[in-house]
Each structure stands twice: as C-alpha cells, then as structure tokens.
Amino acid sequence: MTVTTDEAYEQLAAQSVGTLWRHLGDLFPAEPTKRAVPFHWAYRALRPYMLHFADALSIEEAQRRVLMLINPGLQQESATVTGLYAGIQIILPGEQAQAHRHSANAFRFIIEGSGAYTTVSGERVHMHPGDLLLTPGWHWHDHYHEGEGPMMWLDGLDFPLVNSLDTQFFELHSETAQKVSVPDGLSSAQFIHGRLNPAWIGERSANSPIGNYPWAETKRAFDAIADNADGSDVDGMVLEYTNPWTGGPVMPTVSCRIQRLVPGFRGAARRHTAGTILHAVRGEGTTIVDGQEITWGEKDIFVVPSWATYEHVNSSKSEDAVLFSYSNEPVVRALGLYREELL
Ligand code: GTQ
C-alpha cells in the first residue's frame, strides 16, 4: 500500500473504522469516568415554576406536566444519574392526564396534596404523601385529581436505560381514560401483607404486583423496629420495598428504598457502582459526595453518581431524617458489574 500513516487514519475513519491503540485509555478507564456529577435540586426553588406551568399550560397540551431534573453531565440523554431519570409532576383539581404506556418502568413517590389517583392496568390507585406507586413497563396509566389544591409527586423512570438499548416503545390509549376493571386499591389489599400472597394468582412477574406501597405501611415498619436495631453503618435504618413474589427489587431495573437517619447520625463513607437518586421525605441533613457537601432540606432531591463516595449526616439533635432513594443496582448486579468499597 502506498499511503502515509496520516492518510491511512483518514481513509479508515471515512470507512467508519477506528484504531484501538488510540482509544484504549478512554474506552477502558481504570475506574468509571462518572459523567454524572453530584447535584442537588431544592424543592422550594422548583415549586413556584411548577405552579406557574400549572397555570400557563393545560394538561391536554402537556399530556404530562413535569419538570425534568437533568444531571449537567447527562444532558444528551435527559438522565438524572446514568440510566435513571427523576421528574416532578403537578396535576390540578379536575384534571385528567391521558392514558398511555411505554416500555420504560416508572414509579411515583408522592410529595404533597390529596385527592388524586392513577389508574394502572384497570385499577385505581389512590395517592397520599409518602406513598410509592408502581407503573411497570407497558402498563397503561392515566392520572386524575378529584381533591383540592395542587398535587405533586416525584416521577422515577428507567427511560435513559431503555433508550440507550434502543428498546423503547410508546403508545397513546385510544380514549383519554382507560376502563376501570377491578375494585380500587385491590393489588395493595391483596399483596401488601408480604408474607401471605394470594396463591390463586398464577402470573408471577419480575415486577411487583403492588400498585401502592402506602406511607402508612412504611411508618408501621419504622415504628415496629423503633430504636431496637443498629441499622447499617452507612445508611442507617434502611428498608427496601420488595416484590412479594421474589423478595427482590420492585421492578427488574430499579431498587427503591427508604431510610431513617436518627438524630445525630453520621454514616460511614462508601462508594458503589449503582447511581442513586435521593429525596428527603422529612428532616434535613448533609451528604458529602466525592468531597462536595450537599445540604438538603425537606422535599429536596439530590444524586450520588456511580462510584462517588458518599456519607450521610443528620446534624439535628432531635429530629429524624427520612430519605427515599432509588438506584439501578438490580441492573448492575444482574450484569455482574456491582462493586462496593467501604472507605
Ligand atoms: O406520568 O406517565 O415524568 O410517561 C415521564 C414520562 C411521567 C407519566 C414522567 C411519563 C410520565
């Protein structure tokens, strides 16, 4: 061949061919490159914008009225941490958000308001602050508000992961509302007891069948444990919401947890390879993420990217802090990519 080396590089690039020796370093970093950065959104700063758009934009125009919390390092994929997304949704009394479905798994963690519900695969699921509602992939879902005042919740979806695999489908329902086919709240009534599952139900899916993990149950669990457990050095009294069929995570791609940090709690430092999104249900505190102090207040949302070192602090001497969190740990574990390190 009679080409110079420069010409060879150029001609190969034109044929969509790369040369590994020039990319070994960036394709195989010694440690994860952490495109996602530690970040914090204050709820009180976002709330006025939610109310503005509730007034300025009809639910029909928007379909879903949601502010997306986008990590500055993940703008291309609209992700909050790698593979996962967080948004804050608002719905006003009298509104209906059109039924649709998508491949992505979704959940809602209720922040404020009363009188709203979502219909998921024919079941109306009522919402109260602190409830966790599931909308697993390809389940029809439409939201309604029949109470007073605005209703707001945190949306968690795995769409950045689904999109990165080119596996996303989306469909609008032919009607605004899907048909209700079972009594309200049936799935929670049947399954929330956890140790007594309805044996006549044959389909045991990788998704939890529970439409709502109500705050009342979460509170009961914390009250029952009271101060009689040490909890985790890193995460305090941390509980995982589980799929009653498997004992595993609520959906195949997302693990949801709730943790109580007792007054004066100072967690040990740890890092692991599951990007995590956290929401302060109550209390306030500081989480140090890769040396950066994130001071969070009630209802705020913040992130700990994969392989970032974090430690939680509840500096209050009298008040508990409660954090809801979700991560892509089940995906990372299923692929054999989970690593953790106590520091
Ligand atoms: O409520 O169905 O934040 O489909 C993003 C996509 C919420 C929803 C989001 C959605 C929804």
Side-chain angles (χ1 to χ4, degrees), residues 198-242:
W200 65 88
I201 295 179
E203 195 208 326
R204 304 186 172 194
S205 69
N207 303 313
S208 167
I210 296 177
N212 187 353
Y213 293 76
W215 176 252
E217 287 292 332
T218 307
K219 185 173 181 312
R220 198 166 297 148
F222 280 131
D223 287 350
I225 299 169
D227 293 324
N228 300 320
D230 295 335
S232 137
D233 288 351
V234 176
D235 283 314
M237 308 248 198
V238 57
L239 306 176
E240 173 150 10
Y241 298 88
T242 57

Side-chain angles (χ1 to χ4, degrees), residues 36-244:
V37 298
F39 207 80
H40 167 241
W41 293 268
Y43 187 73
R44 79 180 129 63
L46 299 177
R47 199 173 181 279
Y49 295 97
M50 305 283 293
L51 296 171
H52 170 82
F53 280 105
D55 185 49
L57 188 71
S58 76
I59 198 85
E60 289 76 19
E61 283 172 280
Q63 193 178 143
R64 297 291 189 268
R65 223 191 265 107
V66 182
L67 298 185
M68 308 194 335
L69 308 185
I70 299 177
N71 193 293
L74 301 172
Q75 293 194 355
Q76 191 68 31
E77 54 266 57
S78 296
T80 311
V81 290
T82 308
L84 284 176
Y85 149 97
I88 304 180
Q89 181 157 173
I90 180 167
I91 181 166
L92 295 180
E95 289 184 334
Q96 299 188 6
Q98 157 86 40
H100 72 203
R101 62 179 174 176
H102 34 67
S103 310
N105 289 297
F107 70 79
R108 332 207 171 271
F109 189 88
I110 311 308
I111 301 179
E112 61 170 296
S114 68
Y117 62 90
T118 185
T119 306
V120 184
S121 288
E123 179 186 331
R124 280 185 181 144
V125 184
H126 293 272
M127 306 173 177
H128 313 90
D131 291 358
L132 171 68
L133 278 72
L134 303 186
T135 314
W138 215 238
H139 288 47
W140 294 110
H141 52 288
D142 27 328
H143 313 309
Y144 301 83
H145 191 357
E146 295 175 355
E148 318 256 310
M151 187 92 199
M152 296 184 225
W153 63 74
L154 170 68
D155 282 321
L157 284 93
D158 61 5
F159 75 71
L161 174 72
V162 175
N163 289 346
S164 73
L165 297 170
D166 288 338
T167 51
Q168 185 79 267
F169 293 84
F170 175 91
E171 196 179 356
L172 266 186
H173 203 282
S174 55
E175 316 272 346
T176 309
Q178 65 176 297
K179 283 201 176 57
V180 174
S181 56
V182 300
D184 290 11
L186 180 66
S187 64
S188 293
Q190 287 183 325
F191 281 99
I192 201 71
H193 318 288
R195 294 291 164 266
L196 285 170
N197 293 333
W200 65 88
I201 295 179
E203 195 208 326
R204 304 186 172 194
S205 69
N207 303 313
S208 167
I210 296 177
N212 187 353
Y213 293 76
W215 176 252
E217 287 292 332
T218 307
K219 185 173 181 312
R220 198 166 297 148
F222 280 131
D223 287 350
I225 299 169
D227 293 324
N228 300 320
D230 295 335
S232 137
D233 288 351
V234 176
D235 283 314
M237 308 248 198
V238 57
L239 306 176
E240 173 150 10
Y241 298 88
T242 57
N243 175 346

Side-chain angles (χ1 to χ4, degrees), residues 34 231-240 255 257 259 261 265-276 278 287-291 303-313 325-327 329 333 338-343:
K34 293 197 238 180
S232 137
D233 288 351
V234 176
D235 283 314
M237 308 248 198
V238 57
L239 306 176
E240 173 150 10
S255 162
R257 293 185 182 167
Q259 69 197 91
L261 308 177
F265 180 84
R266 184 170 188 111
R270 179 171 75 162
R271 59 180 171 176
H272 54 61
T273 50
T276 308
L278 300 101
T287 300
I288 303 154
V289 187
D290 272 349
V303 297
V304 176
S306 168
W307 210 236
T309 301
Y310 69 96
E311 51 188 289
H312 295 307
V313 180
S325 67
Y326 59 111
S327 79
E329 187 179 315
R333 279 193 188 275
Y338 187 78
R339 274 207 206 194
E340 70 176 16
E341 201 171 270
L342 272 170
L343 294 135

